[in-house]
Amino acid sequence: MNLFDIIYDGQAQYLKRAEEMVAKVVAEKGKETPVKFPGTAYALPCIYAITGKKITNVGELEDALALAKEKIHRTNYLQDALDAGTAAAMCAEIIEAVKYVYEELPYEGRHVEDLNTTDVRYLGHITDAEVRNFGVPLVTDDIPGVAVIIGEAKDAETLAAIVKDYQGKGLLTFMVGKVIDQAIEQKIKMGIDLRVIPLGYEIESVIHVVSVAIRASLIFGATPPGDFLAHRTYTKNRVKAFVNVFGPWDNKIIAAGAAAIELGFPAVTETFINEVPTLLLHQPDNSKVVATSLEARNIKIKVTEIDCPVAVSSAFEGERVRKDTMFAEFGGNKTECWELVTTGELAEMEDHKITIVGPDIDDAMFAGKDVVRLPMGVVVKVAGKQMQKDFETVLERRIHYFTNYIEGAMHVGQRNIAWIRLTKEAFEKGFRLKHIGEVLYAKMRSDFDKVVDKCEVTIYTNAEDVKRLGEEMVKPIYSERDERMGALTDESVDEFYTCLLCQSFAPSHVCIVTPERLGLCGAVSWLDAKATKELDPMGPNQPIVKGEAIDERLGIWESCNEVVARDSQGAVEQVTLYSILEDPMTSCGCFECICGIMPEANGVVIVNREFGDTSPVGMTFGELASMTGGGVQTPGFMGHGRFLIGSKKFMSAEGGLPRIVWMPKELKDDVAERLNKAVFEMTGIENFADMVCDETIASDSEAVLEFLESKGHPALAMDPIM
């Protein structure tokens, strides 16, 4: 069979199975039975993007089959073969959707008898919230690419080496087939937080990673459903994915590969196949698969050499250290733990000086103890010709990320509420406290090389030193910084900053970052943007000289409008910084929260990304986000970061923070202190958060209103919001 025959035969196998499963589910469940993947606002996302049709019930699966058949034209032209691959993908999505009709979570767990392992979680469908969580690391290149591994490697050791290589480089890796069993055998750390994701055993489950790419186009790119050419262009240019096929391939795998190629994702096979230059490649040497794949997708990895016995990669950022795997712990309300970045004199410093003052975790005093518990104080001293005091907090926040990059380490919190855990496995591999210093040194010098010319790291573990320095040195510096930050307002500065990081995914989106309005992803403050401008003068954060305001109440500046119009390529001509009703700022899709008007309550609800239930406005976070992402302006709705909820500039044109009537409890508890303080200073109302309804009290409109009335919520007495 030639390549085209292989693709057509594979597509026919998908179609046959899809037709059989649809006929069965129609007969057994009825045409009106709902069909959907959990946690998405995009129905069956691939079919929705390709055809523009939302499939919502079992009967409409018959329509989806008909739409897939329209893609099949058996000729000897490459495009028709690729279209057959697209039809195969549509059939695969139908097959997977039927599984979710019969079981709410068909991929929740599986028993692997031959490996004596239970409850191996195959993820199957990835929710919209999880796709959005990938947004920031993808645009910042913390996730430089996406690998999809299919089949069965020649041995488990080979598979483990390849997966660990991708993981060490920070790639997001999806697995389909027996490679999952091989990864389990080799004890590869897997899960969505570790960026190694087992999708499923059957080849059809690969559609769930195709769905991730397609939803990136829908969510971040605001690409219209039904414009498949635009979706293909988006995924090819902006989603740096590729496919690795190990072991003998079959015709269904190659048909799936054709679907991937149509989206711009090259496939690399171990077993010989007739190549399509740059798209379908044969690489029999497993030691060269990673290099071949990265080169095919033009993914360039910046490698920083670090003296550390365990892996150091952004892929480990989500690793959690549980009590049963923990060897050592610092902070966490059991001991004192703080961290500080401070500026030294360049001439007086010794670069790469790492000092441990006090016992290390292998000290004899801990022999026989189940867990090593110590206080910890970390001082990172930096110096450089371009270094500024304002940058200290920017670098200090990176301690959290850099420590989490260490395999076997978990870092929570910052400043003097830091909490660090280390695993037994890391200790057994030789990890000691000096290696925390090595990681911090290497990352400070590589990531901030424009401003950091020298770096010293000192780690204190003597309780007396940690307490004394915390009181005499650390807390006064924190207090001085807090006063400085408290004085920073939108009125007190002459410049705002753009943030164009997300334009690699949302081309028409432009963030305006001000002292009182962080980037909507929650990751970029005004000081962050200022520091980034120094580090990368031509980068995504550029200053905007404010000049005179056109409208101070709405937050309109001519300078901001000019920059937004230029940087959005004319897609957006005017923005207001303080209104959600008149030309609100655009959203990319990776925002932490969405606020939307609840007219009957004369206020707004706020929903955070982690909340999966329906809000009082009748929509989930995903449904709200589908209206507001991708660089479009949606009056009445706005994406934003958590920190904005404590800002006096939050929708101040419409009355501000007192308009908030409902939030999920987790979000309300998280922001309560800042929110209460700001509202008290604005209105004199104490404990405002107690007046805000949440899902534990009510979520339907009538009950929410009853609660607000019982509390005398100020929004009810304000001027009509609309």
Side-chain angles (χ1 to χ4, degrees):
M1 298 175 74
N2 64 34
L3 179 59
F4 289 178
D5 290 336
I6 292 169
I7 293 171
Y8 287 122
D9 181 73
Q11 163 266 307
Q13 292 182 49
Y14 285 109
L15 179 60
K16 182 174 184 294
R17 186 182 183 195
E19 288 177 327
E20 291 171 350
M21 291 183 70
V22 170
K24 181 174 183 289
V25 77
V26 167
E28 294 179 354
K29 298 291 186 180
K31 290 190 175 184
E32 299 306 314
T33 300
V35 57
K36 63 177 183 178
F37 291 121
T40 181
Y42 301 98
L44 308 190
C46 297
I47 293 171
Y48 182 46
I50 293 166
T51 69
K53 181 173 177 58
K54 274 195 173 183
I55 305 300
T56 61
N57 61 43
V58 165
E60 291 174 353
L61 290 174
E62 295 177 331
D63 300 333
L65 280 171
L67 292 168
K69 291 177 183 177
E70 291 177 5
K71 291 283 184 183
I72 304 168
H73 306 285
R74 187 159 187 159
T75 71
N76 289 322
Y77 292 108
L78 176 61
Q79 186 55 55
D80 286 330
L82 296 177
D83 286 345
T86 300
M90 295 171 69
C91 291
E93 189 165 55
I94 292 168
I95 291 165
E96 291 297 298
V98 172
K99 294 179 183 179
Y100 281 86
V101 174
Y102 283 102
E103 295 182 69
E104 184 179 358
L105 293 171
Y107 287 93
E108 184 63 24
R110 185 176 75 90
H111 183 67
V112 189
E113 295 180 358
D114 56 331
L115 296 176
N116 194 30
T117 305
T118 58
D119 293 327
V120 177
R121 181 141 191 265
Y122 286 20
L123 287 184
H125 172 74
I126 310 295
T127 67
D128 288 355
E130 289 164 335
V131 174
R132 292 176 190 279
N133 282 339
F134 296 142
V136 172
L138 281 168
V139 301
T140 59
D141 274 344
D142 272 353
I143 298 177
V146 180
V148 183
I149 301 178
I150 298 172
E152 181 179 13
K154 60 180 63 176
D155 55 66
E157 292 80 7
T158 297
L159 184 279
I162 290 168
V163 172
K164 286 181 178 178
D165 197 350
Y166 286 142
Q167 194 176 36
K169 289 178 167 63
L171 272 75
L172 185 60
T173 303
F174 293 89
M175 294 189 293
V176 174
K178 292 184 179 179
V179 288
I180 298 173
D181 295 343
Q182 293 178 312
I184 295 167
E185 180 184 327
Q186 290 293 304
K187 296 181 171 55
I188 297 290
K189 295 175 181 177
M190 294 188 289
I192 203 157
D193 290 336
L194 294 167
R195 300 184 189 170
V196 177
I197 301 171
L199 287 175
Y201 196 77
E202 295 184 310
I203 184 59
E204 284 83 357
S205 63
V206 77
I207 197 64
H208 297 300
V209 67
V210 177
S211 171
V212 169
I214 286 292
R215 276 179 289 158
S217 181
L218 288 164
I219 291 170
F220 303 115
T223 309
D227 190 347
F228 189 40
L229 175 59
H231 284 290
R232 283 162 23 211
T233 302
Y234 183 97
T235 55
K236 177 182 179 181
N237 293 337
R238 300 182 186 276
V239 182
K240 295 180 180 179
F242 58 84
V243 180
N244 291 162
V245 179
F246 291 102
W249 47 260
D250 60 28
N251 294 359
K252 288 177 72 176
I253 288 176
I254 299 305
I261 289 169
E262 178 72 331
L263 293 173
F265 309 151
V268 181
T269 69
E270 179 184 29
T271 303
F272 177 77
I273 192 168
N274 290 321
E275 292 192 336
V276 178
T278 74
L279 299 175
L280 183 58
L281 308 172
H282 172 227
Q283 178 50 271
D285 187 344
N286 288 163
S287 68
K288 297 179 180 178
V289 165
V290 172
T292 299
S293 302
L294 298 179
E295 183 180 347
R297 205 64 182 94
N298 195 30
I299 297 171
K300 301 185 187 303
I301 307 291
K302 180 181 178 181
V303 178
T304 302
E305 293 296 330
I306 301 176
D307 178 14
C308 187
V310 298
V312 180
S313 165
S314 59
F316 297 107
E317 189 180 340
E319 184 178 6
R320 294 291 174 262
V321 178
R322 312 294 181 188
K323 287 183 178 180
D324 59 334
T325 64
M326 179 173 66
F327 180 83
E329 184 175 39
F330 312 85
N333 294 322
K334 295 181 176 65
T335 62
E336 191 171 352
C337 188
W338 49 259
E339 51 203 22
L340 180 74
V341 170
T342 185
T343 306
E345 292 295 329
L346 194 60
E348 298 173 2
M349 287 181 55
E350 178 185 340
D351 190 38
H352 204 165
K353 180 181 179 182
I354 297 171
T355 308
I356 310 298
V357 181
D360 206 330
I361 55 177
D362 59 354
D363 194 284
M365 64 188 287
F366 301 119
K369 291 193 175 182
D370 292 335
V371 177
V372 173
R373 284 196 172 89
L374 282 168
M376 179 181 282
V378 179
V379 178
V380 179
K381 185 181 288 188
V382 296
K385 294 178 181 177
Q386 304 300 318
M387 182 64 194
Q388 299 179 28
K389 292 285 287 184
D390 278 348
F391 299 164
E392 290 177 353
T393 55
V394 177
L395 274 61
E396 191 171 287
R397 280 199 299 275
R398 298 303 293 176
I399 292 176
H400 167 75
Y401 297 98
F402 296 158
T403 307
N404 274 325
Y405 289 177
I406 301 169
E407 183 182 13
M410 181 185 81
H411 185 287
V412 178
Q414 58 180 327
R415 303 220 313 188
N416 58 348
I417 56 169
W419 178 23
I420 300 171
R421 282 181 169 181
L422 303 175
T423 63
K424 297 171 185 175
E425 182 184 3
F427 178 79
E428 289 165 1
K429 289 181 177 179
F431 188 86
R432 301 295 183 265
L433 294 184
K434 72 169 186 176
H435 296 116
I436 294 178
E438 291 285 359
V439 171
L440 296 179
Y441 166 78
K443 296 300 290 179
M444 290 290 177
R445 291 286 275 114
S446 65
D447 287 21
F448 298 101
D449 58 326
K450 295 286 179 60
V451 297
V452 177
D453 298 327
K454 289 183 179 180
C455 176
E456 297 177 355
V457 180
T458 305
I459 298 175
Y460 298 92
T461 59
N462 277 323
E464 297 81 5
D465 291 332
V466 174
K467 184 174 181 59
R468 175 178 55 81
L469 292 170
E471 293 295 329
E472 296 177 3
M473 177 179 71
V474 178
K475 287 184 180 179
I477 292 175
Y478 290 164
S479 297
E480 180 185 342
R481 289 175 180 171
D482 289 344
E483 289 178 14
R484 158 88 169 122
M485 285 302 299
L488 273 179
T489 64
D490 289 1
E491 290 78 18
S492 70
V493 299
D494 296 324
E495 294 179 334
F496 297 153
Y497 285 89
T498 62
C499 185
L500 307 181
L501 268 175
C502 293
Q503 281 204 343
S504 58
F505 273 71
S508 61
H509 170 60
V510 181
C511 250
I512 305 295
V513 181
T514 79
E516 296 180 82
R517 199 185 197 288
L518 276 71
L520 56 87
C521 63
V524 181
S525 71
W526 185 83
L527 283 178
D528 291 325
K530 181 181 178 183
T532 302
K533 166 63 178 172
E534 295 291 331
L535 293 166
D536 185 2
M538 303 303 292
N541 300 123
Q542 296 297 319
I544 303 172
V545 178
K546 281 166 49 181
E548 292 295 321
I550 296 174
D551 189 318
E552 291 185 355
R553 183 183 70 85
L554 293 172
I556 303 175
W557 279 266
E558 183 65 34
S559 57
C560 291
N561 288 340
E562 290 174 357
V563 169
V564 167
R566 181 195 71 203
D567 290 347
S568 70
Q569 294 80 49
V572 180
E573 295 182 349
Q574 177 166 301
V575 294
T576 64
L577 302 189
Y578 310 141
S579 173
I580 66 167
L581 284 174
E582 299 185 43
D583 300 318
M585 193 182 298
T586 59
S587 303
C588 60
C590 53
F591 34 74
E592 294 179 308
C593 306
I594 301 173
C595 68
I597 288 179
M598 184 178 176
E600 63 271 38
N602 204 32
V604 296
V605 305
I606 301 177
V607 188
N608 57 300
R609 185 192 298 156
E610 295 80 9
F611 186 73
D613 295 337
T614 302
S615 70
V617 296
M619 290 182 280
T620 64
F621 177 90
E623 290 164 341
L624 287 165
S626 69
M627 300 167 52
T628 55
V632 298
Q633 291 176 305
T634 311
F637 299 89
M638 180 179 69
H640 58 85
R642 286 180 177 234
F643 197 83
L644 186 64
I645 299 172
S647 169
K648 295 174 185 176
K649 289 295 194 290
F650 174 77
M651 55 172 289
S652 57
E654 284 81 38
L657 298 172
R659 289 280 192 187
I660 300 172
V661 298
W662 188 94
M663 286 189 282
K665 190 173 191 312
E666 182 276 324
L667 177 64
K668 185 170 77 171
D669 291 346
D670 180 51
V671 303
E673 185 178 347
R674 299 195 309 275
L675 178 61
N676 286 339
K677 181 176 183 293
V679 172
F680 178 75
E681 291 173 356
M682 293 168 67
T683 67
I685 296 173
E686 294 185 343
N687 300 316
F688 173 72
D690 293 340
M691 296 181 167
V692 177
C693 193
D694 62 58
E695 81 281 5
T696 67
I697 301 166
S699 288
D700 65 279
S701 175
E702 188 174 333
V704 170
L705 279 173
E706 288 178 4
F707 172 81
L708 299 176
E709 288 168 355
S710 72
K711 291 291 185 179
H713 194 289
L716 301 177
M718 297 172 76
D719 291 338
I721 194 169
M722 296 182 69

